Amino acid sequence: MDRRLLVVIKKELMRVFTDRRLVFTALLLPGLSIAVIYSIMGMVIGNMDDERAIHMYEIETYNVPSSYISYMDESPYDKINMHEMVDISQLEESKMRLTNESIDMVLVFDENFDQKMSDYRINEIPNIDTYFNPINEYSQDARNYIVNGILQDYKVAIVGERLGDIKFTQVFSIDIDNSEISVASEEKLAGTVISRILPILISIFLFAGAMGIGIDMVAGEKERGTMATILLTPVKRETVALGKLISLAIVAIFSTISSILGILLSFPFSSKLFGQGLNIDKISFPPQYILLLLIALLILVGIYVGLIILVSVISRSVKEAGTYISPIYMVVLISAILAVMGNGEMNYMKYLIPIYGNTIIIQNIFSLDINMMYFLINSFVSILVITGLVLIIRKMFYNEKFMFK
Amino acid sequence: MIEVRNLTKTYFVSKRERKKNKMKNEYVRAVENVSFSVRPGEIYALLGPNGAGKTTTLRCMSTLIKPSSGEIIIDGFDVQNDSESVRENISFLTNELKLDEHFSADYTMKFFGGLRNMLPEQIDLRKNYLFDIFGIEGFKNKQISDFSTGMKQKLGIAVSLLNDPEVIIFDEPTNGLDILTAKTVTDYLLDMKEQGKTIIISTHVMRVAEKLSDRIGILIGGHLIIEGTLKEILEKTETETLDDAFFALYEKFGDDNG
Ligand SMILES: Nc1ncnc2c1ncn2[C@@H]1O[C@H](COP(=O)(O)OP(=O)(O)OP(=O)(O)O)[C@@H](O)[C@H]1O
Ligand SMILES: [Mg+2]
């Protein structure tokens, strides 16, 4: 290898890593902001979940029958604060309180509820009207807790009384000795949750991390007049181009590592964002998948770095490069969004699309569910794209129209 | 040795540029059919008004841009086919070349030495010598952004001379320099001439051409109108001073520029 390539790479890396402003904005800031944002999001969602778990439901009842009261005294349902209302004419006020969320539910039993129940053979069966506020999450929870929980069990208890013994109501059991309810192995379960989110984050981080520095690498040097000074040395222009591509790839990788460290740092607070009860210790990644992941990531970095440097070469100023790069960034974002929304249907066509296909490949690797054929198709197409980009960049480096103002 | 044969350079102007600068033509013929040569041990001055094509001619020599037709041979290497060997053997300097101001003078020299494939000891030797000549030694570990304009220019010259080249190409060598710095540069050029280097400079200042050069070529509107020693030019134009000679020539040839 040309020793001068190393000289170029070293200079590009020194330029970035010895510049406090660049180190901060390109390397530390992404990780830090992600750690902070995710921790806050995780804590907010975590608090909401915790609160929902301990919340006592405030319910108001009309004409409550004594059988219900005695049932509740012995039942395990303990999240209810019941307020007995005496006058049915207050129902409208109760509904107002539901609307302004000071109570969670209203139950209106028919008058003489117990009497009607025991007269069921000759009379109509009694009714319970329920009122709740679907806008209020606690009210939704309360309705589910009462209608599908308490009232169902209350019904069963009464049927038991009619039959003479509660045992007669038992027809079958569900999962009484089954300790293995979920058949997904834990590592794969973790895989699917992470596989949905992490690949698209990585894809976006890689591009965003390389974007700012990449547009400066060529367009900025042309604008400041430092490019010509370098091209006046005996070094081949393609060596300069290649050195910049490789350095930018290294910067992109460091910036992405910083972002991922940010996610890991936020994990104690944010694990709820990535799925209930996700346990990172349980995620084991077989070595062959790590290898595939590295290859896939390097290929994606290659495409991104090629695109960014290409934009940088055709632009006369950093500002102009900034204008051209934004639509490409949009494509990266949209590909990422499409990849998360994907239905997992296997269709080789989508692996032919650069960026989108690459993101899906990385998703597949994370969920430990990859088709080698598709992996090879995608890698082949991507390498063609990268080669094309590098050849165009090389050609442009030799073109005085692009290299000089 | 520099040999320029029938050099023509045409710039194509994009639609956008044309609109911006209100230009009519799709192309600018900056230099047309120019031939001359510069021998080792002499300083040749390309003299001409603004837009005459001086920078264009020198840039073609430096390999930064390509001739549209004609050829330039520098120490036996063709600028088109052997551009790396040409750059190996020349020092090219203009005001427009800039250094990355983030780095120190010391690292900048190391970097450019590395690009020239020089060994670390070679770089150190040359660096100390040039820093000494141009008075940079005391500032070598400072960031270039802290340098004065004159210091930056001197460092630029030092960088371009790093490889101790046989051929020196300077575009407006004393432009923008104070008289002390300008003297450092002209003294250095005269010194290099004594050592037998081939030197070409461009200038629009008559005095610089008179004082520094052995031979002068006058470029007007992309054409080399006349060349020779100062004495020869004065004889041919039947004038007393270079200024008079220039005005006489400009009156005669100045209108047909493209
Ligand atoms: N990149 C370019 N594209 C189009 N036209 C150009 C370009 N560079 C120079 N020109 C034109 O070519 C002609 C010669 O320019 P050049 O810079 O060689 O002149 P010069 O003798 O160096 O002038 P000066 O004394 O102003 O430096 C001018 O008309 C200039 O406008
Ligand atoms: Mg000029």
Side-chain angles (χ1 to χ4, degrees):
Chain A
M1 190 171 54
D2 191 349
R3 203 174 62 88
R4 288 183 270 200
L5 180 61
L6 293 179
V7 174
V8 175
I9 293 173
K10 191 177 155 212
K11 174 245 168 187
E12 294 295 338
L13 294 181
M14 292 250 304
R15 182 69 191 83
V16 175
F17 289 101
T18 62
D19 187 327
R20 252 175 284 163
R21 193 182 57 85
L22 287 182
V23 168
F24 184 72
T25 55
L27 298 171
L28 295 181
L29 201 58
L32 275 178
S33 39
I34 283 161
V36 170
I37 291 169
Y38 280 46
S39 296
I40 292 174
M41 276 165 61
M43 278 194 282
V44 169
I45 289 180
N47 278 345
M48 279 176 355
D49 284 2
D50 293 349
E51 252 172 59
R52 275 169 92 155
I54 57 165
H55 183 82
M56 294 293 285
Y57 304 120
E58 305 293 328
I59 68 167
E60 293 186 354
T61 55
Y62 290 86
N63 307 326
V64 64
S66 53
S67 65
Y68 178 78
I69 294 177
S70 50
Y71 169 76
M72 284 302 284
D73 281 347
E74 281 160 35
S75 85
Y77 294 100
D78 56 358
K79 289 175 72 180
I80 301 285
N81 276 335
M82 189 170 88
H83 308 280
E84 283 193 60
M85 311 304 285
V86 271
D87 191 351
I88 190 73
S89 64
Q90 290 176 313
L91 182 57
E92 286 312 310
E93 288 161 42
S94 293
K95 286 182 187 167
M96 286 297 290
R97 283 192 288 277
L98 260 184
T99 314
N100 64 32
E101 304 191 359
S102 56
I103 61 172
D104 300 314
M105 185 135 183
V106 179
L107 293 180
V108 182
F109 291 83
D110 273 1
E111 277 181 61
N112 304 321
F113 192 86
D114 280 342
Q115 186 61 42
K116 281 184 181 165
M117 278 205 299
S118 46
D119 291 349
Y120 69 99
R121 272 185 256 258
I122 49 172
N123 257 328
E124 273 176 33
I125 56 167
N127 172 62
I128 308 168
D129 284 334
T130 68
Y131 301 92
F132 84 116
N133 177 1
I135 298 169
N136 178 1
E137 283 181 352
Y138 294 135
S139 183
Q140 281 180 26
D141 290 354
R143 184 170 196 278
N144 188 34
Y145 187 72
I146 292 170
V147 174
N148 299 330
I150 297 176
L151 294 182
Q152 293 305 324
D153 285 358
Y154 173 44
K155 199 195 279 178
V156 170
I158 289 165
V159 172
E161 260 169 48
R162 283 181 191 167
L163 297 174
D165 195 328
I166 189 77
K167 277 186 199 146
F168 295 147
T169 63
Q170 292 171 1
V171 183
F172 53 77
S173 65
I174 300 169
D175 280 334
I176 197 156
D177 285 328
N178 180 5
S179 59
E180 211 191 330
I181 298 174
S182 162
V183 295
S185 69
E186 193 129 6
E187 69 185 32
K188 205 155 179 175
L189 186 70
T192 53
V193 175
I194 283 200
S195 76
R196 286 220 309 278
I197 304 159
L198 211 50
I200 67 145
L201 291 179
I202 291 176
S203 164
I204 295 170
F205 294 156
L206 279 176
F207 194 88
M211 193 167 67
I213 288 175
I215 58 179
D216 192 76
M217 265 187 181
V218 184
E221 288 227 39
K222 283 194 285 181
E223 201 177 355
R224 291 188 295 271
T226 52
M227 180 61 88
T229 317
I230 291 171
L231 297 184
L232 273 169
T233 64
V235 69
K236 285 201 180 79
R237 290 189 182 187
E238 58 209 73
T239 308
V240 178
L242 195 61
K244 284 181 182 283
L245 285 163
I246 294 173
S247 317
L248 187 58
I250 294 172
V251 170
I253 290 167
F254 271 100
S255 164
T256 304
I257 290 174
S258 152
S259 301
I260 291 173
L261 282 181
I263 296 182
L264 291 181
L265 272 179
S266 76
F267 240 84
F269 309 102
S270 70
S271 56
K272 284 211 168 76
L273 288 181
F274 293 94
Q276 217 72 43
L278 170 64
N279 194 347
I280 22 174
D281 309 335
K282 288 267 170 61
I283 311 167
S284 72
F285 224 60
Q288 67 269 33
Y289 283 89
I290 294 181
L291 183 68
L292 288 181
L293 184 64
L294 287 181
I295 296 173
L297 286 176
L298 272 183
I299 286 176
L300 187 61
V301 169
I303 297 180
Y304 285 172
V305 163
L307 281 171
I308 294 169
I309 293 287
L310 181 62
V311 164
S312 200
V313 172
I314 61 177
S315 311
R316 253 161 298 186
S317 66
V318 174
K319 208 174 133 206
E320 194 180 336
T323 323
Y324 296 155
I325 204 82
S326 353
I328 300 181
Y329 192 33
M330 289 303 292
V331 170
V332 171
L333 289 177
I334 291 169
S335 302
I337 292 166
L338 288 179
V340 212
M341 298 196 315
N343 50 8
E345 173 201 329
M346 285 292 190
N347 174 354
Y348 78 95
M349 287 299 284
K350 65 186 177 192
Y351 293 94
L352 294 176
I353 308 170
I355 302 179
Y356 174 60
N358 298 71
T359 314
I360 296 181
I361 282 286
I362 297 172
Q363 260 186 339
N364 294 350
I365 297 175
F366 265 103
S367 47
L368 305 183
D369 181 16
I370 180 140
N371 179 320
M372 274 318 284
M373 196 58 210
Y374 295 152
F375 180 85
L376 291 177
I377 290 177
N378 177 259
S379 304
F380 180 73
V381 172
S382 305
I383 287 169
L384 280 186
V385 170
I386 296 171
T387 313
L389 286 169
V390 170
L391 288 179
I392 297 173
I393 291 169
R394 194 187 114 140
K395 198 156 175 131
M396 287 185 159
F397 255 80
Y398 279 101
N399 188 327
E400 60 192 59
K401 277 205 201 75
F402 290 108
M403 292 321 276
F404 301 103
K405 283 178 283 182
Chain B
M1 181 81 176
I2 303 171
E3 292 163 86
V4 179
R5 294 187 202 125
N6 305 325
L7 173 70
T8 296
K9 176 65 186 180
T10 310
Y11 292 110
F12 287 90
V13 189
S14 67
K15 259 194 190 147
R16 215 167 91 188
E17 292 285 315
R18 251 181 286 158
K19 263 196 192 141
K20 216 169 82 183
N21 302 329
K22 299 205 176 101
M23 290 157 84
K24 267 182 264 157
N25 295 339
E26 267 172 60
Y27 58 86
V28 178
R29 182 148 296 165
V31 176
E32 193 167 10
N33 215 13
V34 165
S35 304
F36 62 92
S37 57
V38 186
R39 292 183 286 268
E42 78 170 345
I43 298 181
Y44 188 101
L46 267 186
L47 181 68
N50 293 132
K54 305 180 294 290
T55 300
T56 303
T57 307
L58 299 192
R59 278 192 174 176
C60 286
M61 291 178 183
S62 76
T63 78
L64 273 183
I65 59 177
K66 293 192 191 93
S68 307
S69 69
E71 60 179 5
I72 302 175
I73 311 288
I74 295 181
D75 275 357
F77 300 110
D78 184 329
V79 291
Q80 299 226 57
N81 305 329
D82 221 342
S83 64
E84 277 118 48
S85 307
V86 168
R87 292 199 295 274
E88 207 70 77
N89 289 293
I90 63 169
S91 155
F92 178 69
L93 194 83
T94 85
N95 268 335
E96 294 132 69
L97 299 181
K98 296 279 155 42
L99 300 169
D100 191 332
E101 306 204 346
H102 170 75
F103 294 114
S104 69
D106 199 64
Y107 176 77
T108 302
M109 294 297 263
K110 280 193 188 132
F111 170 59
F112 282 98
L115 288 185
R116 291 193 167 279
N117 235 350
M118 293 163 71
L119 298 172
E121 310 86 69
Q122 258 180 311
I123 298 174
D124 273 348
L125 221 66
R126 203 55 201 156
K127 189 179 73 190
N128 294 339
Y129 168 73
L130 290 165
F131 277 5
D132 192 37
I133 289 185
F134 293 107
I136 301 170
E137 189 58 36
F139 304 84
K140 65 177 184 183
N141 291 320
K142 266 198 183 174
Q143 247 182 301
I144 300 175
S145 53
D146 294 339
F147 279 27
S148 68
T149 319
M151 279 304 274
K152 284 179 196 168
Q153 280 171 333
K154 284 196 270 188
L155 181 61
I157 297 171
V159 165
S160 78
L161 293 170
L162 198 53
N163 55 330
D164 195 11
E166 284 309 308
V167 175
I168 298 176
I169 304 168
F170 268 20
D171 193 7
E172 312 271 2
T174 54
N175 213 8
L177 300 182
D178 67 44
I179 41 171
L180 289 176
T181 316
K183 187 164 161 37
T184 319
V185 175
T186 47
D187 285 353
Y188 185 80
L189 286 178
L190 289 169
D191 199 25
M192 288 299 103
K193 179 185 118 174
E194 291 308 313
Q195 290 182 27
K197 312 255 164 171
T198 311
I199 302 170
I200 178 166
I201 62 168
S202 83
T203 183
H204 55 260
V205 186
M206 310 293 161
R207 259 171 45 84
V208 173
E210 275 173 351
K211 274 184 64 182
L212 214 54
S213 63
D214 301 298
R215 285 194 303 139
I216 299 171
I218 295 183
L219 203 58
I220 294 176
H223 297 272
L224 189 67
I225 304 296
I226 195 170
E227 72 163 344
T229 61
L230 180 59
K231 211 174 133 212
E232 285 165 3
I233 289 178
L234 295 183
E235 273 168 16
K236 275 190 219 166
T237 53
E238 298 170 350
T239 51
E240 300 289 310
T241 64
L242 186 57
D243 287 36
D244 289 342
F246 180 78
F247 290 131
L249 291 166
Y250 194 77
E251 232 151 74
K252 209 163 149 200
F253 300 97
D255 293 330
D256 70 282
N257 58 354

